[in-house]
Structures are given as C-alpha cells and as structure tokens.
Amino acid sequence: MTWITLRQKTKTKKTEEEMARMAGTRLIQWLNLLVWALVMLKTEGANVSITIVEDAVAKGAVCLDGSPPAYHWDKGFGAGINNWLVHLEGGGWCNNVTLCLNRSETRLGSSKHMDKSDNFTGILSRVQNYNPDFYNWNRIKIRYCDGASFTGDVEAVDPATNLHFRGARIWPAVIEDLLSKGMKDAKNAFLSGCSAGGLASILHCDSFQALVPSGAKVRCLSDAGYFINVNDISGARHIEEFYSQVVATHGSAKNLPSSCTSKIKPELCFFPQNVAHEIKTPIIFVNAAYDSWQIKNILVPTKVDPHGTWHDCRRNIKSCSDDQIQTLQGFRLNFLKALENTGNSSSKGLFIDSCYDHCQTELQETWLFDDSPLLAKTTIAKAVGDWYYDRRPFQKIDCPYPCNPTCHNLVTI
C-alpha cells in the first residue's frame, strides 16, 4: 500500500467522521427546533379558520371594498360551552378617501385579503394553563375591515372608488350571525378589543349588552383603546384633527353615543375620556401609561420631528434622553388625568402599568406567561379574570417609569 493510498484513506475517514459530526449537529439542531415548535404550539394554541358572513352583504354590512365581513371562531367546550368572548381586532383608521382606498386593498379593508386562519393566543388561547378563566369559552375574533372602529355608515357608494363606509352595519350583522349559532343561549358574554378594536369595545359596550340575551352576564374590556386628546410636541392637536376627518369621511357622528354628541363636537366623542363615564355596562381598561402607539402617533408623530431627534426614543424608551423622559412623564400625567373621566364606580376596572407597549391581552407573553408584566404582583390575566368573576375588584395604576422591572417594553427597528 502506497503512502498516497494511506493518506487518501485517512483523509476519507476524517471526512466521514466530520460528516457524521455535522449530521449529529444538524440532528440536535433539528430536535431543538422541534421541541421549540412544540412548546410554541402548546403555548400559542392552534390556528382558527375564518368564517365569512356572506348574509351580511344583503344588509349592506360590508368591508371598505364591498366584500363581506368575517370572524374566527374557536368553539367552546365543557363548562364554557355557553360562554362567549368576542374580541375586536385593531388596526388604526383611515381618514380620507385616498387612505381608505389603499386600505381597501389590504386585510384591513377587505375579507378577500384576510388570512384564512388566525393563531389564537393570550386572552383567546384554548390552553388552560395560559388562559385559565376563558380557555374553554367560545372565543371569537371579529376582523376589522371598515377603518372607523365599526362606526361608519354612508349609504351612497362612489362608483369611482367603490368605497363602502359601513362599519356600523358590520357590528350588528356579525353579532346576529353569532346569536344564530348559539350565542342566544349565552350565560356569560365578554366583549374585548385591542387598539382601534379597544376603542370599538368602549363605543359599543352598551350596545353589546343590548344585543345579547337579557339574562347573560355582560362585561367589556378595552386593551390599549383609551386614546387621549393632547397636544403633540409642537403644540398642535394633530389627533383631534385626524379623528375629525375619520368621523366626516365615514359618517360616524350618528353612531357615536348621543349622550356625548348632544353636548360636544362628534369627533370629540371618539375620545374615550368624553364617553367612558356614560358607559353603564361594567368595563375594565387595560393600558400602558406610556402607550407606544400614542407616543409615536399622538405625542410625537413623525411630521413634527423633521430632524429625527426622537427617532431612537420612539423605538426604544431606554434610548430616551432625560428631557425626553420628562416629556413622556408629562404624557403619563395627561393620560391619568383623562382616565379620571371613567368615574369611580366599582364596576369599572383598571390595569394601568408603566410599560412602553401597546396591546397586552392578545400576546401570550404579556397576558400570562412565566415573565409576564405584573401590577400589584398580579398578571393581566389574573386581574381580568378576578374582575370578571367578581372574585375581587381591580383598580390599579402603576408607579412612573422605570419603576416596574417586569415590563416588556416594546423595541422596534
């Protein structure tokens, strides 16, 4: 046997050993990935298929593009079979024809563009360990496709755009569909929503009470829906002007609480601080005092920061300067002042943490997980469940940032 042959065999053996090691490494990586996927599947729950409400079209209850509304329904089981949690999706608003036309070509304006299934997590989870009070309820997520928190109603349709402003018709049409599928027998009915959906849960809380069976226990939850009317850093009331345009574009005035619109301009009735005290149905407000969407879009919208001074602060609160933190503390005080208008009734709940976040009930990590945010040593899931079932009232407001080490402060790229 020649030296070359021996070297070739040695090289071949080393190559085989290296390939075996690589295969073993890949197997370990694959197994780790599989374990991670199984854990995520267990904690996040299964995908829930979409239901298109075709019958709503005849009622004129349609998305911006004229397509029918939709929802996802994970059916209740066991002791929760006659309990219903209806969650309203968020997604901002469109305040003029151009933006609404753009929106009509997305999932936020057309059921044609919606995903065929949705992953239910947090308050919508079917896993008992991660949603102990509502896991076996009928859990519904109503898709948001009208651009005005289910308040718009304009009969005329401009053939040039084919835009339909009919959110106020979608709301009862979907509820009627759910009633026909079993919600008419509800013992418990809980309306919740996030962001624009959280605002909708405030505006429609009492009408939800009126739509469901009279014998049902009805309550509402607004997550990150308490938008406040304050000046931006330039001194302008940008958000008030924006809401005025939303109300005008969608014809929302007639569908906002008359107890408010009879006293002040309709666009001001889009702000919870002007309507919350009139809500008769028990409701709990879950909100970050440093709501990241409001900081970015109400306090410091991009157009009032042309030099990007706030760029890093807006994306990560830990990057804020001392002066910027003081401005954020001022926003928190304004938020708490506006929150006083909810009244002091024991039927109203508060979970106001000092986190920099937006929407905390939909995500498992902030709703209920090993390291979820705590307020008074209580998770959001525990506070909401205790409040709903009258185990104890919950009206807690956190200390100022950065006092709460359990916060999951949002960081964006």
Side-chain angles (χ1 to χ4, degrees):
M1 184 181 291
T2 65
W3 179 82
I4 294 176
T5 303
L6 285 171
R7 187 174 69 172
Q8 288 174 335
K9 286 189 173 183
T10 301
K11 183 177 180 181
T12 300
K13 184 177 181 181
K14 287 182 178 180
T15 300
E16 290 173 347
E17 291 174 349
E18 182 64 27
M19 289 177 66
R21 281 196 296 271
M22 291 175 63
T25 300
R26 284 196 296 269
L27 178 60
I28 291 172
Q29 291 174 337
W30 184 85
L31 288 172
N32 287 337
L33 181 62
L34 179 61
V35 170
W36 177 85
L38 289 172
V39 170
M40 293 302 291
L41 180 62
K42 181 180 178 182
T43 59
E44 294 194 7
N47 284 334
V48 179
S49 60
I50 198 168
T51 297
I52 306 295
V53 191
E54 300 285 0
D55 292 347
V57 176
K59 304 171 184 176
V62 293
C63 300
L64 285 171
D65 71 335
S67 61
Y71 60 84
H72 302 266
W73 176 21
D74 197 8
K75 295 183 178 181
F77 55 93
I81 199 164
N82 287 322
N83 299 334
W84 294 73
L85 189 153
V86 179
H87 185 78
L88 302 176
E89 182 182 28
W93 311 268
C94 57
N95 62 323
N96 58 51
V97 169
T98 300
L99 291 179
C100 290
L101 196 56
N102 292 337
R103 190 181 179 100
S104 71
E105 298 175 357
T106 73
R107 64 176 180 81
L108 291 171
S110 170
S111 57
K112 297 176 183 177
H113 297 286
M114 293 175 184
D115 293 335
K116 302 307 178 187
S117 63
D118 192 70
N119 195 24
F120 276 18
T121 64
I123 196 171
L124 294 174
S125 174
R126 65 182 290 121
V127 181
Q128 184 174 5
N129 286 345
Y130 296 105
N131 191 23
D133 285 309
F134 310 107
Y135 74 98
N136 60 354
W137 287 34
N138 293 280
R139 286 151 289 107
I140 295 94
K141 181 177 183 178
I142 299 180
R143 301 305 298 265
Y144 180 39
C145 65
D146 70 282
S149 291
F150 301 95
T151 63
D153 192 357
V154 177
E155 181 65 35
V157 177
D158 185 346
T161 63
N162 194 41
L163 283 175
H164 296 69
F165 301 110
R166 304 282 181 78
R169 300 190 194 185
I170 291 175
W171 164 245
V174 172
I175 296 299
E176 286 169 14
D177 190 69
L178 293 172
L179 288 169
S180 72
K181 294 177 178 177
M183 197 165 73
K184 67 180 185 303
D185 299 317
K187 304 300 182 186
N188 288 281
F190 196 9
L191 177 67
S192 69
C194 156
S195 192
L199 173 59
S201 69
I202 295 171
L203 297 175
H204 295 294
C205 183
D206 284 339
S207 69
F208 182 64
Q209 169 88 66
L211 288 167
V212 301
S214 59
K217 177 179 181 178
V218 181
R219 296 201 165 185
C220 305
L221 180 154
S222 171
D223 177 13
Y226 208 92
F227 300 93
I228 64 172
N229 189 13
V230 294
N231 293 343
D232 60 35
I233 58 171
S234 75
R237 290 255 165 152
H238 162 76
I239 189 63
E240 184 177 320
E241 178 186 0
F242 179 82
Y243 276 171
S244 176
Q245 294 165 352
V246 170
V247 170
T249 299
H250 292 263
S252 300
K254 58 183 175 290
N255 296 306
L256 296 172
S258 59
S259 59
C260 179
T261 56
S262 63
K263 301 172 186 174
I264 57 178
K265 294 184 295 184
E267 59 266 27
L268 296 179
C269 300
F270 230 64
F271 292 100
Q273 64 201 74
N274 295 323
V275 297
H277 64 286
E278 298 282 357
I279 299 174
K280 297 178 177 60
T281 308
I283 184 170
I284 186 169
F285 301 95
V286 176
N287 227 106
Y290 307 89
D291 185 287
S292 57
W293 190 93
Q294 295 196 55
I295 299 297
K296 295 175 183 178
N297 295 277
I298 296 179
L299 182 65
V300 195
T302 305
K303 70 177 186 178
V304 301
D305 184 35
H307 303 296
T309 306
W310 280 79
H311 175 269
D312 292 343
C313 178
R314 290 168 81 250
R315 63 176 292 274
N316 185 350
I317 195 170
K318 292 182 179 179
S319 299
C320 297
S321 67
D322 290 344
D323 287 345
Q324 288 170 334
I325 289 293
Q326 285 304 113
T327 300
L328 297 187
Q329 301 295 17
F331 176 86
R332 172 182 176 271
L333 292 177
N334 283 327
F335 180 84
L336 298 183
K337 182 68 175 176
L339 204 62
E340 292 176 2
N341 292 344
T342 60
N344 55 11
S345 170
S346 60
S347 69
K348 290 186 169 68
L350 294 175
F351 189 107
I352 310 299
D353 58 34
S354 61
C355 305
Y356 184 68
D357 208 342
H358 184 69
C359 288
Q360 299 178 87
T361 62
E362 292 181 341
L363 295 178
Q364 196 61 59
E365 64 180 38
T366 45
W367 172 249
L368 180 59
F369 208 60
D370 295 340
D371 61 346
S372 294
L374 301 175
L375 179 53
K377 299 180 180 180
T378 307
T379 63
I380 297 172
K382 175 66 172 169
V384 171
D386 284 351
W387 172 83
Y388 184 91
Y389 283 108
D390 299 310
R391 294 191 290 252
R392 63 165 175 156
F394 200 92
Q395 295 180 329
K396 303 291 184 183
I397 296 175
D398 211 352
C399 47
Y401 174 87
C403 73
N404 190 338
T406 68
C407 280
H408 288 219
N409 293 320
L410 185 68
V411 177
T412 55
I413 298 174

